[in-house]
């Protein structure tokens, strides 16, 4: 498998998992408007990340969502590391794509 194909597969799997997690969040927190807004924005960001031409916008949306989710968790006394991992994955996707395009 080429590096481009591996990255494309990782991008699609990552986006799909983010979308599934966001739908789970929507179902669990229908009355919390801030959480609903974050989940909907996260779904949009994950979908936008799927297309190479708009991937930087998708990554930026996801990074904002992950930062907000981390702050909301911190306010509730939680420190989940998953948001850092998600952010690192989004950055990996866009930076690796740029590196592969330049090669």
């Amino acid at each position: 498998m080429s590096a481009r194909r591996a990255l494309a597969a990782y991008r699609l799997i990552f986006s799909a998992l983010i979308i599934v997690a966001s739908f789970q969040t929507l179902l669990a927190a229908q009355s919390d408007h801030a959480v609903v807004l974050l989940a909907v924005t996260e779904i949009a960001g994950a979908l936008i990340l799927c297309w190479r031409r708009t991937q930087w916008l998708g990554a930026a949306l996801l990074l904002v969502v992950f930062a907000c989710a981390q702050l909301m968790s911190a306010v509730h006394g939680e420190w989940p590391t998953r948001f850092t991992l998600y952010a690192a994955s989004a950055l990996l996707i866009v930076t690796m794509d740029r590196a592969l395009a330049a090669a």
Side-chain angles (χ1 to χ4, degrees):
M1 178 181 286
S2 72
R4 289 183 194 271
R5 285 185 181 223
L7 181 60
Y10 186 78
R11 177 194 314 265
L12 290 176
I13 291 168
F14 174 75
S15 294
L17 291 174
I18 292 297
I19 291 167
V20 168
S22 297
F23 275 117
Q24 290 173 337
T25 300
L26 277 174
L27 293 173
Q30 292 177 345
S31 62
D32 188 343
H33 297 299
V35 173
V36 169
L37 178 63
L38 280 179
V40 170
T41 305
E42 189 173 38
I43 290 168
L47 289 171
I48 294 169
L49 183 68
C50 289
W51 287 273
R52 291 183 68 218
R53 288 185 171 211
T54 58
Q55 67 183 347
W56 284 97
L57 175 60
L61 282 173
L62 289 173
L63 292 175
V64 168
V65 168
F66 300 149
C68 290
Q70 182 63 50
L71 286 172
M72 290 173 70
S73 295
V75 167
H76 290 99
E78 301 171 9
W79 292 96
T81 57
R82 67 182 177 272
F83 299 119
T84 304
L85 177 62
Y86 299 160
S89 290
L91 288 173
L92 173 74
I93 289 168
V94 293
T95 56
M96 287 299 296
D97 186 73
R98 177 181 280 179
L100 289 172

